[in-house]
Amino acid sequence: MSEMPKGYDPKAVEGAIFSAWQAGGYFSAKIVEGVEPYSVVIPPPNVTGSLHMGHALNNTIQDVVVRRARMQGRPTRWVVGTDHAGIATQNKVEQKIAAEGKTRQDVGREAFIEECWEWRRLYGGTIIGQLKAMGCSCDYDNERFTMDPSYQVAVRKVFVDWFEKGLVYRGNRIINWCPRCSTALSDIEVEHEDVDSHLWHLRYPLKEPVGGIDHVVVATTRPETMLGDTCIAVHPDDERYKALVGSTVILPLVGREIPIVADDYVDPAFGSGAVKVTPAHDPNDFEIGERHDCAKINLMNADATIADEGGAYAGLDRYEARKRVIADLDAAGALVKIDEHVHSVGHCYRCHTVIEPWLSDQWFVDMKPLAAPAIEAVRDGRVSFHPKRWENVYFHWMENIRDWCISRQLWWGHRIPVFYCDACGWTGASMDDLAECPTCSAAVRQDEDVLDTWFSSQLWPFATLGWPDETPEDIAYFYPTNVLSTARDILFLWVARMVMSGMYFNEGTIPFDDVIIHPTVFNAEGRRMSKSLGTGVDPLDLMEHYGADGMRFGLMLQVTGNQDIKFAEDKLLSSRNFANKIWNASRFVMMNLEGFSAGEPVAETVADRWILSRLANLSAVVDEGLTAYEFGETARALYDFFWNEFCDWYIELAKSRLSGGNAEQRLAVQRILVYVLDTALRLLHPMMPFVTEEIWRNLPLAEEDRAPSLMIAPWPDSAELSRFADTGAEASIAAVQEIVVAIRAVRARYGVSPRTKLDVVVKAPEHEMLLVEGESALIRSLAGVGTLAVSPDAEKPAHSAVATAGSLEIYVPLEGLVDFDAERDRLGKEREKAGVELDRLNKKLGNEGFLAKAAPEIVEKDRARAAELTDALAVLDVQLAELA
RNA sequence: GGGCGAUUAGCUCAGGGGGAGAGCGCUUCCUUCACACGGAAGAAGUCGUAGGUUCAAAUCCUACAUCGCCCACCA
């Protein structure tokens, strides 16, 4: 190990380390009765997907919590797999066969589905391979897929159960139709966007004038739908129209006679106060139509061209029809005016085509009964969100939940297990495929549609564990899972539904205790990362530049509880450098192990007690941070400890003892170095698994501290480490640091070479003498001091630069070099600063309210600080007087 | 229309009632036997605006401004 390369090279290490983990079998968990398990299910990436920054962040978070749990000795299982992603996959395969000049109808249902499976065989493993490159410690031996045979059984059981309980039902409703994907979508799969459009005011003539009125004006954003109008609605209290209710208008262009009805829905203040009602093409109009028993004329084909009901406009695309209808209305004198108008238009979340509200027969889930217990579970804290504010978002949605349209007019997916008998009218859901009607024995046909992909994803936490009957022992042991980490955009699509179905099918047991809603990763300009827009960053490129550990740690540094991430690549740069720092600090320790034998670390010096105390503090901070899912804070604590305390100070403090001390002293410091490094590597491992593993496997540990891999080595016990806490040592080293920095500053100010030894005189009050003398070796070695003379009544040597550290006066003789004007300026500034602070403190300490009401320890602290400043000011005054 | 978050150093962001912090960038010096992906020393901020609470406000409250996001049956 003495020939560790000079720099850390991730590429040379990561592959071999990963293979070793895999060969060791550490990714899988065995059931150990009586030991508390830890389980996490990965949000299954789409089988069509490749790793993006959201995945990189989310899966690092999961790997961090999973690796810590595993090191804590818990049987730990991170379920991994992919989602069949109905629309996305079907689109990919359709593109593929389109290149061969074919449509899916040309290929046929069965062959098309086979093409989908083939596509998955060829490309479905991409993202799993990328997770491995990141070092994610998933259970790869038990990879799941939402179309696995056992998963299909689970999906079918859920559907049949809900069907039989009446929670799944067939309805003829307005749903969201994507004309490009040619399928229904649920409400939350529609993305609304404000669009600049117009409000067209149309004049509809009355069949018979009423009280001198011969027409009504209606306002619409969708003039083409007027072809399907079947009534006009006004508010019942609207004086302008009261007399017209019950009379008839003649629909322009069409000539159909339709009634004027009164309905509370209408807002008299909007537009003209009269609404054209098209029940087949607008959810509100549908409701009005239901209340007034109006016809529902379906004007649109599945591809959003006008249907035969549209008469002269039949066959036109919806936007072409709009143009023609407006032109024709204008020609007929029915177009009153056009206003500018911004309104929200729904788009398909998969292909961004404008959604058509469309009347059709679909399957729905009755959500209210499912939502009630799931609301309660969050309300009473069985499930908690991190950050907590997302609970309000969850409540708001769940309390206003609407029924879920689950049927999709696709081929790739879980086919709806409902069978119809055309002979006798029997309809039923069945776990087994049926050939004949159970009532009349006639041939039956299966529903053509498949289920919403989210219908199957909602079962992920228990279907992947073998529910309902494949591996009941896994369910019993690993369910509920401990934490679910995900992006906020699938809070409703996925998380809420997992809580509902998870509780329903597991006797009310929640699917996970904690939900982490992680920040969204935006690009440096704050825009959404998008492959198609070219605004994204590829995690694979980042790993190429910074290593997997560099990327992971750089992401962790950016995670905070309340802010999205504007991706800052400089954090990855400093993380890569951090990995290299860890590497080289370790290399230094390894290179200085002559005569080493493993053994208990025994603190012999203040420095030893200090670093052990700081290590104990780090361990506590990391435990608290990870328990609270505060990844950014935890990463910073690790970075600060390792770099600023261990490398910058302890290793420097250790050097003189390593090279100058006797064998016993050397062994003592070696044992502290190895112990601190060992513990720090364990604490760092969840965030930086590769570099820590590579170093740790070569650490010369005692047999009882060894493990086949750092990945399964015991996690540091912060309670046990707390025995090292030592505030005295921390104060002493803080003082040493202050003196060293003051001397170094003198050196830097006068450009004295680091190789030139300085002779330093310190004037210290009696109570500081012991410290300075006791640690004089440290001070001399760290500040490059030759002789260090300390006394309470030291005289300032001639030609000295001066520095202060609290009540210490530090004289650095620099023959001929000292610029007394510059010294005076600098000390003057220091004095001014100290003076301002002391004035502020004195004012505070003279304030009766402060003395009476502030916490005593605050007052005490301020008094101590004031005394310190008074001393420092006195020192500065003396020095300034000498320079005058 | 309702809700949430943000506004702190040139940039990206932590912090969260009592001495303004980090990374990157910048300035000066240093290739000293772990590391130049390094070391040392520095410069740099009226903590968005206006009120309020408090002995004490960057931190809590209210309003406003700006930016971002979510929800809502905005003909």
Side-chain angles (χ1 to χ4, degrees):
Chain A
M1 207 49 207
S2 52
E3 66 280 1
M4 265 174 89
K6 196 172 164 189
Y8 173 58
D9 178 7
K11 286 195 204 87
V13 166
E14 291 172 0
I17 292 285
F18 191 88
S19 300
W21 288 334
Q22 202 149 35
Y26 312 135
F27 293 142
S28 299
K30 288 200 179 59
I31 293 175
V32 184
E33 290 305 338
V35 180
E36 198 183 355
Y38 194 88
S39 58
V40 171
V41 292
I42 199 171
N46 284 354
V47 68
T48 55
S50 58
L51 202 68
H52 59 58
M53 288 309 296
H55 294 127
L57 173 64
N58 192 24
N59 291 307
T60 301
I61 288 172
Q62 289 168 77
D63 201 35
V64 168
V65 299
V66 159
R67 282 181 182 272
R68 171 165 170 259
R70 190 182 290 113
M71 290 175 75
Q72 285 172 325
R74 300 171 68 169
T76 299
R77 182 155 176 195
W78 182 6
V79 174
V80 70
T82 49
D83 192 295
H84 69 278
I87 298 177
T89 307
Q90 178 154 328
N91 284 350
K92 291 273 185 195
V93 175
E94 281 179 336
Q95 278 165 23
K96 185 187 160 230
I97 61 175
E100 299 155 15
K102 287 185 281 190
T103 66
R104 71 177 147 113
Q105 284 76 15
D106 297 335
V107 174
R109 183 164 190 149
E110 217 170 297
F112 183 82
I113 291 171
E114 192 40 56
E115 288 272 4
C116 292
W117 281 105
E118 180 61 16
W119 194 92
R120 186 223 173 201
R121 271 189 289 276
L122 289 175
Y123 308 112
T126 303
I127 197 158
I128 301 293
Q130 293 169 330
L131 292 173
K132 290 177 179 171
M134 280 182 60
C136 293
S137 59
C138 308
D139 184 4
Y140 298 104
D141 293 340
N142 291 292
E143 192 182 323
R144 308 310 298 253
F145 182 53
T146 56
M147 291 276 280
D148 284 340
S150 67
Y151 208 104
Q152 298 208 27
V153 172
V155 171
R156 193 150 177 170
K157 186 175 169 69
V158 167
F159 185 94
V160 171
D161 184 287
W162 281 353
F163 179 90
E164 285 168 357
K165 299 273 176 23
L167 289 167
V168 160
Y169 64 90
R170 187 89 165 146
N172 183 253
R173 301 248 185 108
I174 300 274
I175 47 80
N176 305 290
W177 183 262
C178 174
R180 203 219 59 83
C181 298
S182 195
T183 181
L185 298 172
S186 67
D187 294 336
I188 47 179
E189 287 169 305
V190 177
E191 289 175 353
H192 291 275
E193 239 174 64
D194 277 353
V195 169
D196 289 327
S197 179
H198 302 95
L199 196 55
W200 286 273
H201 296 255
L202 311 180
R203 182 201 309 267
Y204 287 10
L206 282 167
K207 187 179 177 194
E208 311 275 348
V210 178
I213 302 172
D214 66 353
H215 69 272
V216 291
V217 172
V218 296
T220 181
T221 53
R222 300 208 50 196
E224 68 280 11
T225 64
M226 62 82 63
L227 301 171
D229 286 357
T230 54
C231 71
I232 303 294
V234 296
H235 194 273
D237 302 331
D238 192 333
E239 293 300 332
R240 293 170 295 177
Y241 299 115
K242 247 183 176 165
L244 300 185
V245 172
S247 55
T248 301
V249 301
I250 296 172
L251 194 58
L253 307 185
V254 180
R256 183 161 58 239
E257 296 186 3
I258 60 177
I260 296 177
V261 302
D263 196 287
D264 286 336
Y265 166 78
V266 179
D267 173 8
F270 188 90
S272 64
V275 187
K276 63 183 270 309
V277 179
T278 320
H281 293 279
D282 181 279
N284 297 310
D285 290 10
F286 180 85
E287 298 292 329
I288 296 172
E290 288 281 278
R291 284 194 287 272
H292 301 280
D293 204 21
C294 299
K296 304 179 183 80
I297 298 175
N298 199 335
L299 275 181
M300 210 81 79
N301 297 316
D303 60 355
T305 57
I306 302 298
D308 292 345
E309 283 78 0
Y313 304 91
L316 294 177
D317 173 77
R318 53 187 165 171
Y319 298 117
E320 183 58 25
R322 175 178 299 180
K323 277 187 213 158
R324 298 272 193 94
V325 166
I326 293 165
D328 293 348
L329 286 168
D330 196 15
L335 183 60
V336 179
K337 64 167 174 169
I338 305 172
D339 290 336
E340 299 292 314
H341 186 67
V342 177
H343 69 136
S344 174
V345 175
H347 296 75
C348 172
Y349 84 133
R350 283 288 172 224
C351 73
H352 217 68
T353 301
V354 172
I355 288 300
E356 197 60 44
W358 206 43
L359 184 64
S360 63
D361 286 324
Q362 303 288 345
W363 289 98
F364 296 88
V365 180
D366 177 11
M367 299 305 285
K368 285 214 158 57
L370 295 168
I375 291 170
E376 200 45 40
V378 175
R379 192 79 70 193
D380 66 23
R382 275 174 289 160
V383 176
S384 47
F385 282 69
H386 308 266
K388 196 170 175 56
R389 66 191 138 89
W390 291 105
E391 290 179 3
N392 288 328
V393 179
Y394 172 90
F395 290 138
H396 183 257
W397 188 71
M398 291 287 273
E399 282 160 3
N400 296 285
I401 200 161
R402 287 183 293 165
D403 286 357
W404 174 13
C405 174
I406 52 169
S407 40
R408 298 290 178 272
Q409 287 64 47
L410 306 172
W411 285 351
W412 176 240
H414 295 273
R415 190 157 172 186
I416 292 177
V418 169
F419 296 84
Y420 304 93
C421 175
D422 295 322
C424 74
W426 176 88
T427 298
S430 166
M431 283 304 291
D432 302 308
D433 287 349
L434 296 182
E436 56 184 45
C437 175
T439 307
C440 73
S441 298
V444 294
R445 60 181 172 83
Q446 185 172 359
D447 197 295
E448 294 293 323
D449 291 349
V450 300
L451 290 163
D452 181 3
T453 300
W454 298 104
F455 189 91
S456 50
S457 336
Q458 69 173 335
L459 318 179
W460 188 248
F462 53 102
T464 53
L465 294 175
W467 184 90
D469 41 35
E470 195 196 19
T471 47
E473 65 281 6
D474 280 358
I475 283 278
Y477 190 68
F478 289 111
Y479 187 93
T481 66
N482 293 81
V483 57
L484 182 96
S485 176
T486 190
R488 61 162 172 271
D489 52 356
I490 53 176
L491 178 57
F492 307 141
L493 283 166
W494 191 51
V495 179
R497 288 165 175 171
M498 282 191 288
V499 180
M500 292 188 273
S501 65
M503 290 180 73
Y504 184 93
F505 289 104
N506 294 278
E507 288 89 41
T509 305
I510 51 155
F512 28 72
D513 304 322
D514 291 317
V515 178
I516 297 171
I517 303 291
H518 65 68
T520 303
V521 187
F522 295 100
N523 68 11
E525 287 76 45
R527 305 189 64 84
R528 190 166 281 280
M529 284 203 185
S530 154
K531 209 182 281 180
S532 54
L533 295 176
T535 53
V537 177
D538 186 344
L540 295 179
D541 290 342
L542 295 175
M543 285 194 272
E544 180 74 19
H545 287 303
Y546 305 109
D549 290 334
M551 181 184 75
R552 292 167 59 117
F553 200 81
L555 285 170
M556 290 300 93
L557 282 170
Q558 297 181 64
V559 177
T560 67
N562 43 18
Q563 187 132 291
D564 284 330
I565 294 172
K566 252 198 263 179
F567 181 64
E569 197 161 333
D570 59 15
K571 297 292 195 302
L572 274 60
L573 179 69
S574 49
S575 298
R576 179 201 64 171
N577 296 351
F578 184 42
N580 194 57
K581 189 72 178 180
I582 295 168
W583 181 264
N584 275 292
S586 306
R587 191 160 78 100
F588 172 81
V589 172
M590 306 282 205
M591 281 167 25
N592 285 280
L593 290 180
E594 303 86 2
F596 176 77
S597 63
E600 275 298 297
V602 178
E604 295 201 328
T605 65
V606 174
D608 294 344
R609 288 190 282 123
W610 170 75
I611 196 65
L612 291 174
S613 182
R614 298 307 301 151
L615 182 70
N617 177 259
L618 175 72
S619 168
V621 167
V622 169
D623 268 342
E624 277 168 40
L626 292 184
T627 302
Y629 307 119
E630 281 160 0
F631 300 98
E633 227 172 277
T634 305
R636 273 184 291 278
L638 286 162
Y639 184 98
D640 288 344
F641 171 83
F642 200 94
W643 201 314
N644 301 334
E645 300 189 309
F646 184 57
C647 292
D648 287 351
W649 289 98
Y650 187 75
I651 286 183
E652 295 307 318
L653 288 163
K655 279 179 180 172
S656 58
R657 280 200 286 157
L658 279 173
S659 58
N662 59 35
E664 263 173 59
Q665 286 175 323
R666 191 159 53 239
L667 181 60
V669 74
Q670 284 168 339
R671 283 181 174 171
I672 303 275
L673 282 166
V674 169
Y675 176 76
V676 173
L677 182 57
D678 172 26
T679 308
L681 290 173
R682 292 176 201 240
L683 292 170
L684 282 159
H685 182 260
M687 291 194 182
M688 307 188 98
F690 289 111
V691 68
T692 53
E693 179 79 74
E694 175 68 12
I695 295 165
W696 193 84
R697 65 201 304 185
N698 293 304
L699 271 189
L701 298 179
E703 204 47 49
E704 64 268 26
D705 296 329
R706 274 244 70 90
S709 162
L710 176 55
M711 189 174 155
I712 54 167
W715 181 252
D717 181 342
S718 55
E720 197 188 306
L721 277 161
S722 68
R723 72 184 190 276
F724 290 131
D726 189 330
T727 51
E730 296 207 17
S732 295
I733 295 298
V736 168
Q737 289 173 331
E738 204 181 348
I739 296 165
V740 169
V741 166
I743 298 170
R744 284 173 178 168
V746 170
R747 187 190 292 280
R749 230 177 306 139
Y750 291 103
V752 180
S753 155
R755 269 170 295 194
T756 307
K757 292 286 178 199
L758 297 171
D759 292 320
V760 174
V761 177
V762 175
K763 184 176 174 186
E766 291 289 352
H767 63 279
E768 302 272 22
M769 281 291 297
L770 204 61
L771 170 73
V772 182
E773 282 188 319
E775 303 311 328
S776 106
L778 292 185
I779 295 167
R780 283 191 293 125
S781 112
L782 291 177
V785 170
T787 64
L788 183 70
V790 193
S791 89
D793 47 11
E795 294 285 327
K796 179 181 164 195
H799 311 294
S800 292
V802 291
T804 64
S807 53
L808 304 179
E809 291 172 66
I810 300 166
Y811 307 120
V812 183
L814 293 170
E815 206 165 326
L817 282 175
V818 180
D819 176 339
F820 290 100
D821 287 340
E823 286 290 281
R824 201 163 31 239
D825 282 358
R826 192 182 55 75
L827 287 171
K829 270 186 207 158
E830 235 175 87
R831 197 210 177 281
E832 195 190 330
K833 215 174 132 193
V836 168
E837 196 188 342
L838 185 59
D839 285 350
R840 194 178 55 76
L841 279 171
N842 281 335
K843 215 167 133 192
K844 221 168 139 183
L845 289 162
N847 182 336
E848 304 233 346
F850 174 68
L851 296 175
K853 295 190 180 177
E857 62 270 22
I858 296 291
V859 178
E860 201 31 63
K861 203 174 134 199
D862 281 354
R863 284 213 172 101
R865 177 70 182 150
E868 224 175 283
L869 283 167
T870 307
D871 284 354
L873 273 180
V875 168
L876 287 163
D877 282 338
V878 169
Q879 297 194 338
L880 277 166
E882 284 181 18
L883 287 166

